[in-house]
Amino acid sequence: MRTLALSLLMVIGTAFASYGQKYGYIDSDFILENMPEYVEAKEKLDKFAKRWQKEIQDRYVVIKKKKDEFDRVEAVLPDEEREARKLEIETLENETLELQQLRFGVNGDLFAKRKELIQPIQDKVFEALEKVASKGKYAFVFDKANQSNLIFADPKYDLSKRVLRELGVSIK
């Protein structure tokens, strides 16, 4: 009985505590897509990614050609030559995989470039959001972008345009 009473008091207390709190949400994708500096940084990042991807694809083309050539002449090659070509192909494959990891791995070049180009912009958005939330006395602000669990959001609680104004960005 005591546990039930304590549980009931906790539920009622939580309800009263959250009564005066304001909630809002943003759409970080909308905010970023309306920031020219983000669009420019993303284009730069995409160029790096495309260049690196092409570099890796070109290596795979070379490897395929070498494999095809090897398969075609393998039967007539002396043992030493056969082993040398196998080793060459294997080395090229390993180097390409290492390059792929260097460029696109968890701590690779793309990750570092993204951090260099995009992170400062995201930090500015967060600072602007903090100012908007503080001025508006919002207790919670959710982000409806990026696989959010926010199922429904009334547009009147969308703070995205306020954040853009705080950043000095005019909306398209």
Side-chain angles (χ1 to χ4, degrees):
M1 190 69 162
R2 218 183 268 185
T3 307
L4 179 62
L6 283 173
S7 296
L8 186 60
L9 282 174
M10 286 178 63
V11 169
I12 292 171
T14 304
F16 280 116
S18 66
Y19 177 71
Q21 296 177 343
K22 288 173 70 176
Y23 303 91
Y25 71 92
I26 62 165
D27 182 345
S28 59
D29 288 341
F30 173 79
I31 293 169
L32 292 171
E33 289 166 4
N34 281 283
M35 295 180 67
E37 62 189 297
Y38 173 79
V39 172
E40 182 181 319
K42 188 159 180 352
E43 286 173 359
K44 284 181 183 176
L45 191 63
D46 289 346
K47 284 180 184 176
F48 281 111
K50 284 179 185 174
R51 183 173 2 127
W52 293 333
Q53 187 62 41
K54 182 174 178 356
E55 178 184 13
I56 291 166
Q57 285 174 341
D58 290 347
R59 285 176 166 253
Y60 278 118
V61 167
V62 169
I63 291 168
K64 181 167 179 10
K65 285 180 183 176
K66 288 192 179 284
K67 279 184 172 182
D68 290 346
E69 174 66 18
F70 176 74
D71 290 343
R72 200 172 49 78
V73 297
E74 179 181 13
V76 296
L77 290 175
D79 289 346
E80 283 182 24
E81 180 68 20
R82 186 179 311 123
E83 291 306 314
R85 287 193 185 190
K86 279 184 181 178
L87 183 60
E88 179 188 12
I89 291 169
E90 194 174 296
T91 302
L92 284 172
E93 287 175 329
N94 289 335
E95 288 172 353
T96 302
L97 286 173
E98 286 175 18
L99 180 63
Q100 194 168 7
Q101 195 63 28
L102 174 74
R103 297 291 194 217
F104 297 104
V106 175
N107 292 317
D109 294 340
L110 187 64
F111 179 81
K113 270 294 181 200
R114 185 184 189 300
K115 191 171 184 176
E116 173 190 327
L117 296 171
I118 305 294
Q119 187 68 45
I121 298 167
Q122 289 175 327
D123 291 345
K124 283 174 62 175
V125 170
F126 184 74
E127 288 171 19
L129 170 60
E130 281 183 316
K131 288 179 183 176
V132 168
S134 178
K135 287 177 191 173
K137 298 182 179 172
Y138 287 91
F140 297 97
V141 178
F142 301 95
D143 187 359
K144 80 173 199 173
N146 301 322
Q147 301 174 351
S148 169
N149 289 331
L150 192 61
I151 297 169
F152 171 77
D154 189 332
K156 70 182 177 187
Y157 298 110
D158 187 352
L159 306 175
S160 302
K161 291 179 181 176
R162 290 185 202 174
V163 171
L164 283 168
R165 279 193 296 272
E166 182 68 36
L167 288 163
V169 175
S170 59
I171 303 159
K172 297 176 185 175

